[in-house]
Amino acid sequence: MMRYSYISDVNLRNLRTFVAIADGGGVTSAATRLNMTQPTASRQIDALENELGVSLFTRIGRRLRLTSEGEDLLQRSRRLLADAESLGERARALKRGQTGTLRVGAAPQAIESIVADFLVRYRRRHPGIDIRIVEDGGARLPTRLERGDIHLAIMPEGDKRFGGRLLCPNHLLAVMSKAHPLNRRRVLDIKELEDQPLLLLSRGFASREWFYAACQVAHMRPQVLLEGTVPQALIALAANGYGIAIVPAGVLLPRGKVIAMPLVCRGAPIGRWRMVAWSEERFLPPYAHWFVDELVTHLRRNYPNREITRRAPPLPRPKERGTDG
């Protein structure tokens, strides 16, 4: 029978090491992430296995793989660590309310076009709050939010697991050189791209999935010239006539160098509202709520490429979840 003892501070450190090794697939990456030596990480796993009375990992070549017991305990360990962190955050919030660390996840284009400008103003108003920005693709941010890696995520709406506030519509844009034959359109139907060389974002970007879903509806097979991970690189190529870049409206565009227009599919807009989301199962400190409220207010006045996306049919405004505090 499995033995569970009381959870001490040392046990929590061991659990953090266990989760880090499971996420990274090895002791080396976990030790680097946790700023400890490999022997220390190995000793902590040995101590945890002895305390629990089960083996958590089995070695396959140079990698560690979770045992069935390890897989079962991994999710419980995540919840326990998240609860322990939430307890500390709640205590600090109750004690002072003006200091703390806020981890915000966002895709690169959202960091560039939304977070960077807003962050300067927020930190000026709340100098005691340490904002940690975590960069990742929009398709992976929900996993980080669910794990508790971040407090807030700026991501496409639609994931019913989370509460959130709507920020702004995020249409899909076609970006091309000023000399392109299609440059006079106010909006562009996706069917008109059928024979065009396209520059797409790679897997992991939510906007790529919107584009492919629209292609299926339009019964169109896109002619992909290049897939990339940096939207600005695709836009630079498009500006010089090397295909049409398909990017979300949250990307900043170089003024005067390209033409951009919203994409539609059979007259319907392509895109999703962007939201700031959080897990309703975890304590959210007061300064996180301040961040959300001020970001929503900030984007009501202006959001990236608003003058372009207003030419498109409006994206349906979804209902917000978990906004009652």
Side-chain angles (χ1 to χ4, degrees):
M1 183 175 179
M2 192 177 298
R3 295 179 294 111
Y4 291 95
S5 64
Y6 68 93
I7 302 299
S8 66
D9 184 57
V10 173
N11 299 131
L12 288 177
R13 288 201 296 268
N14 294 349
L15 285 178
R16 291 189 187 97
T17 303
F18 167 48
V19 171
I21 292 175
D23 289 344
V27 175
T28 302
S29 60
T32 301
R33 175 180 171 185
L34 298 174
N35 194 28
M36 65 174 63
T37 65
Q38 293 183 42
T40 299
S42 297
R43 285 196 299 270
Q44 289 185 356
I45 292 301
D46 290 341
L48 185 60
E49 289 180 328
N50 289 334
E51 181 177 8
L52 297 177
V54 296
S55 295
L56 300 173
F57 295 101
T58 182
R59 182 173 292 279
I60 299 178
R62 295 186 175 182
R63 292 183 63 83
L64 293 178
R65 179 168 293 178
L66 285 166
T67 62
S68 58
E69 294 86 355
E71 290 179 353
D72 180 82
L73 293 175
L74 179 60
Q75 296 305 318
R76 298 172 188 269
S77 297
R78 291 194 201 281
R79 288 197 295 269
L80 181 59
L81 290 172
D83 288 344
E85 182 178 4
S86 293
L87 179 64
E89 288 178 345
R90 181 178 288 274
R92 289 191 294 271
L94 291 172
K95 183 178 180 180
R96 300 187 64 178
Q98 300 296 320
T99 63
T101 298
L102 182 64
R103 297 185 300 277
V104 181
Q109 61 267 25
I111 295 174
E112 178 186 37
S113 63
I114 292 178
V115 178
D117 177 56
F118 171 75
L119 199 57
V120 173
R121 305 178 187 190
Y122 182 83
R123 295 181 72 176
R124 189 181 301 126
R125 289 189 291 266
H126 308 283
I129 309 303
D130 181 19
I131 305 293
R132 305 284 178 88
I133 303 300
V134 178
E135 178 188 316
D136 211 337
R140 292 185 293 268
L141 285 169
T143 299
R144 284 186 173 270
L145 195 59
E146 190 172 44
R147 287 181 176 180
D149 295 342
I150 52 180
H151 295 97
L152 302 171
I154 298 174
M155 65 185 203
E157 61 79 26
D159 197 318
K160 304 303 183 184
R161 292 173 294 175
F162 309 117
R165 298 278 304 277
L166 295 176
L167 294 177
C168 58
N170 194 19
H171 293 257
L172 205 58
L173 301 181
V175 180
M176 61 194 72
S177 73
K178 299 176 71 174
H180 198 283
L182 296 175
N183 67 0
R184 294 186 181 277
R185 306 287 201 280
R186 286 182 59 81
V187 297
L188 187 66
D189 193 281
I190 195 170
K191 195 70 175 177
E192 296 184 82
L193 298 176
E194 191 159 20
D195 298 321
Q196 297 291 333
L198 302 179
L199 310 169
L200 301 184
L201 291 168
S202 58
R203 296 183 186 277
F205 286 86
S207 57
R208 172 196 170 97
E209 308 309 318
W210 310 340
F211 178 73
Y212 271 98
C215 287
Q216 289 183 335
V217 172
H219 304 291
M220 186 199 91
R221 178 172 294 181
Q223 305 300 314
V224 182
L225 185 61
L226 174 69
E227 294 185 359
T229 59
V230 182
Q232 297 299 345
L234 303 184
I235 293 170
L237 290 171
N240 288 280
Y242 192 74
I244 297 176
I246 307 300
V247 296
V251 173
L252 293 183
L253 301 176
R255 291 186 177 274
K257 294 185 178 181
V258 293
I259 298 294
M261 58 201 72
L263 279 174
V264 297
C265 179
R266 299 179 178 178
I270 304 173
R272 298 273 286 279
W273 274 77
R274 180 177 274 146
M275 71 182 299
V276 54
W278 60 84
S279 172
E280 295 181 286
E281 296 181 358
R282 293 191 170 88
F283 169 69
L284 204 61
Y287 46 81
H289 291 286
W290 303 338
F291 185 96
V292 170
D293 290 342
E294 293 178 29
L295 181 60
V296 169
T297 300
H298 173 73
L299 290 177
R300 280 178 186 157
R301 295 189 295 269
N302 191 31
Y303 52 84
N305 296 309
R306 181 181 181 184
E307 68 282 1
I308 296 173
T309 59
R310 290 179 71 178
R311 303 200 301 257
L315 288 169
R317 185 182 180 93
K319 183 179 180 180
E320 295 177 323
R321 290 169 50 86
T323 58
D324 55 0

